[in-house]
Amino acid sequence: MNFNILTHRFTAPLAAASMAGLLLSGCAVAGASDAATQNGNTTEAESLQISESWIKAASDGMTSGFAVLENPTDHPAALVKVDSTLAGSTELHDMEGSGTAMTMKELDGPLEIPAHSTIELAPGGKHVMLMELKQELKVGQSPALRLTFGDGSTREVPFEIKSFTGAKESYAPEAEESGHTGPAEGDVHAGH
């Protein structure tokens, strides 16, 4: 028997088997990736649904940002921080008290978003504080804020600038004692 014919008889089936193996392993990898996405291995930034994001118009000083954060997954998530080139600093805040006696203070930790729940950042409640504004924020603009989540993932979210005149609260008295850069006790926070 000719050596070339013998080699061809054995190498052709081996090459075909190798190609089939490569194709199947490629499908398996793609399938595993799709399955991983379906099994919840996406980042918090990818899986959270963020809507109704807006910032109160302001000429200078400070202002507040609001949004609806929905976590449709089986796992809790957390908003750790918000960054913006619009302000010298940003913080996550909450309101305490009721009526005209409401005061504002920075959250002690991240904003937790439990599984299958919705958290609303709203006037008179939890919100993003933008302090030491670097420019006037005019109605109709939609600058992006960078949200960082508990797993380290980030997401750029556009926040529409809107006119809003309600919910004027003051800082908590302990905020000044802790070195907070905002207004002192009794000063009205015009950013809400």
Side-chain angles (χ1 to χ4, degrees):
M1 189 176 248
N2 184 340
F3 180 72
N4 286 337
I5 294 173
L6 185 62
T7 304
H8 181 69
R9 275 189 180 162
F10 288 110
T11 57
L14 285 173
S18 294
M19 285 299 278
L22 285 173
L23 289 173
L24 289 174
S25 68
C27 290
V29 169
S33 176
D34 292 342
T37 299
Q38 292 172 0
N39 289 333
N41 290 338
T42 58
T43 66
E44 291 177 20
E46 294 169 324
S47 59
L48 289 176
Q49 296 172 5
I50 302 171
S51 61
E52 301 178 40
S53 51
W54 64 283
I55 296 172
K56 180 183 175 184
S59 58
D60 60 8
M62 62 184 105
T63 192
S64 301
F66 312 101
V68 175
L69 308 172
E70 182 181 353
N71 181 0
T73 72
D74 294 331
H75 308 285
L79 176 60
V80 175
K81 70 176 181 171
V82 178
D83 294 305
S84 172
T85 58
L86 304 171
S89 65
T90 58
E91 296 176 354
L92 294 169
H93 282 202
D94 198 1
M95 302 305 302
E96 292 181 343
S98 62
T100 58
M102 291 186 77
T103 57
M104 173 180 51
K105 67 183 220 175
E106 186 175 7
L107 292 179
D108 290 334
L111 175 64
E112 302 293 335
I113 310 160
H116 302 288
S117 69
T118 300
I119 300 293
E120 185 175 2
L121 303 177
K126 292 175 177 58
H127 59 278
V128 176
M129 272 309 301
L130 293 97
M131 299 176 286
E132 304 164 25
L133 291 178
K134 296 179 178 180
Q135 65 188 58
E136 182 176 358
L137 303 182
K138 297 178 183 179
V139 173
Q141 297 172 330
S142 291
L145 302 184
R146 182 185 192 120
L147 282 57
T148 302
F149 298 95
D151 64 357
S153 62
T154 61
R155 182 168 166 186
E156 299 280 330
V157 177
F159 278 68
E160 182 182 356
I161 308 296
K162 294 184 177 183
S163 179
F164 183 73
T165 58
K168 298 182 187 307
E169 303 89 5
S170 62
Y171 278 93
E174 57 274 5
E176 184 180 354
E177 294 169 13
S178 69
H180 195 287
T181 58
E185 175 184 359
D187 288 348
V188 173
H189 176 324
H192 287 338

